């Protein structure tokens, strides 16, 4: 596979199915942000964290490639002339969402109850996790905007929503495991 094709030199790119769209198209922004999220999760996975967290994050990265492929598929060309789906991979399933929910519940049960918002930070690894969470929220917002004009598999949105929740709880869990100071946000009162 050649790295450069020169087909995007005029500011367009091809979706799965061959349709060309501007590189600033909401569909490109959407799956490009998922790609950015995947890179941040890779950086988080590369930190010195529990091996089970690393494996779980790798599984998430795999699912994010699926999310990106779903978002990159032109809905008008999603079904081939043969009647088969162009994107011949398992889609995001309810089981994928439930896996995130179980992980969230398990980590949350091992943490002190949250009584305030928490300021991101306390340790570089925790900060990386919070950045991934923020990028996940942006990916979700862009995917919602895309869904309004060009619907796709609805479980994809649910997955992104649950993933941002997972990353928030993971940041708290990492703070606990790394013995980082979790700073509560307490608004200053004016006198």
């Amino acid at each position: 596979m050649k790295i450069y094709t020169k087909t995007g030199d005029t500011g367009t790119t091809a979706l799965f199915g061959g349709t060309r769209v501007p590189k600033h198209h909401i569909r490109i922004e959407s799956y490009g942000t998922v790609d950015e999220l995947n890179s941040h999760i890779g950086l988080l996975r590369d930190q010195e964290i529990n091996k089970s967290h690393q494996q779980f994050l790798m599984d998430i990265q795999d699912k994010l490639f699926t999310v990106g492929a779903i978002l990159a598929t032109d809905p008008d060309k999603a079904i081939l002339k043969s009647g088969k789906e162009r994107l011949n991979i398992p889609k995001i399933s309810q089981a994928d969402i439930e896996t995130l929910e179980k992980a969230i519940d398990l980590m949350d049960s091992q943490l002190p109850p949250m009584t305030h918002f928490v300021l991101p930070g306390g340790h570089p690894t925790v900060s990386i996790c919070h950045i991934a969470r923020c990028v996940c929220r942006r990916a979700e917002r862009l995917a919602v905007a895309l869904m309004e004009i060009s619907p796709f598999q609805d479980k994809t949105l649910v997955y992104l929503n649950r993933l941002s929740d997972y990353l928030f709880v993971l940041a708290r869990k990492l703070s606990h495991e790394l013995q980082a100071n979790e700073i509560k946000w307490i608004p200053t009162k004016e006198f």
Side-chain angles (χ1 to χ4, degrees), residues 29-41 64 127-143 160 163-164 167:
E29 288 287 339
S30 186
Y31 74 73
T33 304
V34 169
D35 186 36
E36 181 184 352
L37 169 61
N38 207 333
S39 296
H40 283 291
I41 289 176
L64 287 176
S127 295
I128 291 167
C129 192
H130 277 292
I131 291 167
R133 173 186 57 81
C134 292
V135 174
C136 187
R137 284 288 188 208
R138 179 164 29 99
E140 180 188 8
R141 290 189 303 270
L142 289 166
L160 288 171
L163 179 56
S164 63
L167 291 168

Side-chain angles (χ1 to χ4, degrees), residues 63-64 66-67 70-71 90-98 100-101 140 143 147 151-163:
K63 295 298 176 202
L64 287 176
T66 299
V67 169
I70 290 166
L71 297 175
K91 307 300 184 297
I92 298 299
S93 68
Q94 186 62 35
D96 296 329
I97 294 162
E98 289 170 4
L100 287 175
E101 290 172 348
E140 180 188 8
M147 178 70 101
F152 51 88
Q153 184 206 22
D154 59 348
K155 284 184 176 51
T156 306
L157 284 180
V158 178
Y159 187 82
L160 288 171
N161 187 3
R162 211 64 83 248
L163 179 56

Side-chain angles (χ1 to χ4, degrees), residues 3 10 27 32 34 39 55 60 65 68 72 85-86 88 96 100 103 106 119 121 140 143 148 161 165 173 183 185:
I3 298 299
T10 60
R27 184 173 299 282
V34 169
S39 296
Q55 183 58 55
I60 288 169
F65 264 90
E85 289 187 29
R86 178 175 300 282
N88 190 21
D96 296 329
L100 287 175
L106 178 63
L119 296 179
E140 180 188 8
E148 288 179 0
N161 187 3
D165 296 333
K173 180 74 169 150
I183 301 170
W185 177 64

